[in-house]
């Protein structure tokens, strides 16, 4: 099973000191987080993609290439790549190029984005979010799998005899996750192609998470890719770890209360009771994370948000140290103890994708 961290790259004032990092400092901090993740034995680092304040990661492939040059084992991903406002041609070429630079140590998670104003900045309409995601990904797949593509759709100019360069490394396109927290159509899309489904369950109760993953598993099986419990699932999460639960809550509370994502809403206690956010000891984080498999079944990737809301960088790096040395080794052991032999323990990687290519239908949404 893969474990890692993801960052949404928010540039947020530390509510305890009043200091706000510069954009340059935040970018350097994200790089340090990735390098620390490799140092402590985590598997994955993923970066968000945003084009609006207070977020800084507007160029994921640039940043991941820089990290790839400084790492040897770390798998690099996104959380998420905007399939709606990015041109599929650019995505095909940018991520294939990154594949070559990183020796295949990449995949990508596609998402629609939930910030309405971003769409018109790229000439798109948020009301077309789902159709854009469906059409753009169908084209992206073809660009990665066909040497010459002639294509016409609704949302971009036609292509006539187009060849994307470079081709994917070794002729093997990157593995794709479809990320969604609320759209059943995206779970359906992931199932249709036999791709991975990532539910970033940092906001939602376990019933909602279980419902979305169950839909994906059922449709994955109905499309003939394998048993539902063999479908490739990833989950998000958010943790803050202390020596005692009270110590963790006392330190984290001002950051939670002022967070761009969480702030001004439910109390810390209400939010931790209703969602997977875990603020407590190593043992509490382990036990809470193990419960995720009770909700959704055995799964293949777990990513933790760990640097949000203005936390000092030295605190974030210390949290990653605890995660990598105390939390994840126990999670690896206990997740594998419960996993049936027929259920994959890891998602496909470049090394294994040659033997993992579920059939895909010609027209998106068409039943067998």
């Amino acid at each position: 099973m893969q474990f890692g961290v993801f960052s949404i790259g928010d540039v947020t004032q530390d509510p305890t000191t009043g200091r706000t990092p510069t954009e340059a400092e935040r970018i350097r901090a994200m790089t340090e987080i990735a390098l620390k993740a490799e140092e402590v034995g985590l598997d994955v680092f993923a970066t968000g993609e945003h084009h609006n304040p207070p977020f800084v990661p507007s160029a994921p492939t640039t940043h991941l290439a820089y990290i790839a040059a400084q790492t040897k084992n770390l798998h690099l991903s996104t959380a998420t790549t905007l399939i709606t406002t990015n041109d599929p041609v650019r995505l095909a070429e940018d991520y294939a190029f990154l594949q070559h630079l990183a020796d295949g140590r990449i995949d990508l998670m596609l998402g629609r984005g939930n910030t309405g104003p971003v769409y018109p900045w790229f000439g798109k309409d948020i009301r077309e979010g789902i159709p854009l995601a469906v059409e753009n990904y169908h084209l992206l797949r073809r660009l990665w799998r066909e040497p010459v593509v002639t294509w016409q759709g609704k949302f971009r100019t036609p292509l006539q005899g187009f060849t994307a360069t470079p081709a994917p490394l070794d002729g093997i396109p990157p593995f794709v996750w479809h990320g969604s927290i609320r759209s059943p159509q995206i779970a359906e899309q992931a199932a249709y192609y036999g791709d991975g489904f990532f539910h970033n369950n940092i906001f939602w109760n376990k019933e909602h998470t279980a419902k979305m993953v169950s839909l994906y598993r059922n449709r994955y099986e109905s499309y003939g890719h394998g048993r539902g419990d063999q479908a490739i699932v990833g989950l998000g999460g958010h943790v803050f770890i202390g020596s005692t639960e009270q110590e963790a809550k006392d330190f984290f509370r001002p950051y939670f209360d002022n967070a761009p994502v969480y702030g001004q809403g439910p109390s810390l206690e209400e939010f931790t009771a209703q969602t997977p956010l875990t603020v407590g000891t190593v043992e509490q984080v382990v036990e809470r994370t193990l419960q995720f498999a009770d909700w959704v079944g055995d799964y293949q990737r777990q990513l933790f948000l760990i640097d949000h809301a203005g936390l000092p960088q030295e605190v974030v790096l210390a949290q990653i140290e605890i995660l990598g040395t105390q939390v994840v080794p126990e999670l690896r052991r206990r997740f594998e103890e419960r996993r049936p032999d027929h259920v994959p323990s890891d998602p496909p990687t470049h090394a294994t994708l040659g033997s993992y290519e579920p059939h895909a239908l010609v027209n998106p949404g068409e039943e067998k």
Side-chain angles (χ1 to χ4, degrees):
M1 185 169 175
Q2 290 182 340
F3 293 91
V5 292
F6 72 99
S7 176
I8 59 174
D10 58 303
V11 180
T12 305
Q13 183 184 70
D14 185 330
T16 68
T17 66
R19 186 181 186 281
T20 302
T22 66
E23 291 178 326
E25 288 173 333
R26 192 67 175 97
I27 292 168
R28 285 196 294 270
M30 292 173 67
T31 303
E32 289 178 350
I33 288 166
L35 299 183
K36 184 67 175 181
E38 172 157 281
E39 176 190 322
V40 301
L42 298 182
D43 303 301
V44 183
F45 171 80
T47 176
E49 178 188 344
H50 298 277
H51 300 276
N52 55 303
F55 307 101
V56 75
S58 59
T61 53
T62 302
H63 196 186
L64 293 178
Y66 181 70
I67 293 168
Q70 301 178 69
T71 55
K72 294 182 179 179
N73 302 308
L74 192 66
H75 202 83
L76 304 171
S77 190
T78 55
T80 60
T81 297
L82 302 180
I83 187 62
T84 47
T85 51
N86 280 303
D87 181 3
V89 172
R90 285 300 327 172
L91 292 178
E93 295 189 332
D94 284 352
Y95 282 91
F97 199 103
L98 177 59
Q99 246 196 333
H100 286 267
L101 289 175
D103 293 326
R105 290 186 289 125
I106 72 143
D107 57 40
L108 66 161
M109 186 197 310
L110 299 178
R112 291 186 296 129
N114 57 7
T115 308
V118 173
Y119 279 72
W121 298 342
F122 292 89
K124 307 300 181 183
D125 185 340
I126 193 171
R127 293 170 295 185
E128 300 279 12
I130 294 292
L132 273 166
V134 171
E135 180 176 296
N136 283 355
Y137 181 56
H138 187 54
L139 174 56
L140 176 61
R141 284 183 62 89
R142 289 191 59 189
L143 291 167
W144 273 339
R145 288 164 172 80
E146 300 175 26
V148 181
V149 174
T150 296
W151 176 91
Q152 183 169 347
K154 177 181 178 182
F155 297 109
R156 77 173 315 282
T157 53
L159 297 174
Q160 184 67 40
F162 177 78
T163 298
T165 58
L169 179 64
D170 303 321
I172 301 172
F175 185 69
V176 168
W177 302 83
H178 299 258
S180 179
I181 56 175
R182 65 186 182 277
S183 301
Q185 299 95 327
I186 301 304
E188 173 77 19
Q189 184 182 41
Y192 174 85
Y193 289 108
D195 294 334
F197 178 64
F198 192 95
H199 185 79
N200 193 6
N201 59 330
I202 61 174
F203 301 111
W204 294 89
N205 58 42
K206 63 183 180 181
E207 292 80 10
H208 175 81
T209 301
K211 183 178 180 180
M212 288 288 287
V213 176
S214 178
L215 168 63
Y216 162 68
R217 290 189 185 280
N218 290 337
R219 298 302 290 156
Y220 180 98
E221 183 168 327
S222 76
Y223 285 122
H225 299 307
R227 291 173 47 166
D229 61 357
Q230 296 173 311
I232 307 301
V233 174
L235 296 180
H238 191 175
V239 298
F240 188 82
I241 308 164
S243 299
T244 67
E245 180 179 5
Q246 193 59 52
E247 176 193 282
K249 287 183 174 179
D250 288 345
F251 189 95
F252 188 67
R253 189 180 305 278
Y255 298 96
F256 174 87
D257 289 345
N258 292 277
V261 170
Y262 303 127
Q264 319 307 318
S267 70
L268 176 60
E269 284 73 19
E270 291 170 332
F271 205 84
T272 53
Q274 296 168 9
T275 77
L277 173 65
T278 307
V279 181
T281 64
V282 166
E283 293 75 17
Q284 287 174 308
V285 170
V286 168
E287 293 301 326
R288 190 72 178 283
T289 306
L290 287 168
Q291 290 177 9
F292 296 176
D294 296 331
W295 307 348
V296 307
D298 296 285
Y299 61 109
Q300 287 73 35
R301 176 178 284 183
Q302 173 66 54
L303 299 183
F304 294 102
L305 177 62
I306 209 156
D307 68 329
H308 182 50
L311 280 169
Q313 180 70 354
E314 64 271 16
V315 173
V316 172
L317 297 178
Q319 290 284 302
I320 296 172
E321 178 82 26
I322 297 169
L323 196 66
T325 60
Q326 300 181 49
V327 173
V328 166
E330 182 66 8
L331 286 175
R332 288 192 201 279
R333 182 182 69 81
R334 294 178 64 179
F335 270 121
E336 293 314 309
E337 280 181 350
R338 60 159 288 159
R339 187 185 305 276
D341 290 341
H342 70 280
V343 174
S345 59
D346 294 306
T349 64
H350 187 74
T352 63
L353 271 169
S355 58
Y356 180 89
E357 182 65 14
H359 82 281
L361 306 177
V362 173
N363 298 312
E366 176 184 315
E367 299 274 355
K368 285 198 304 179

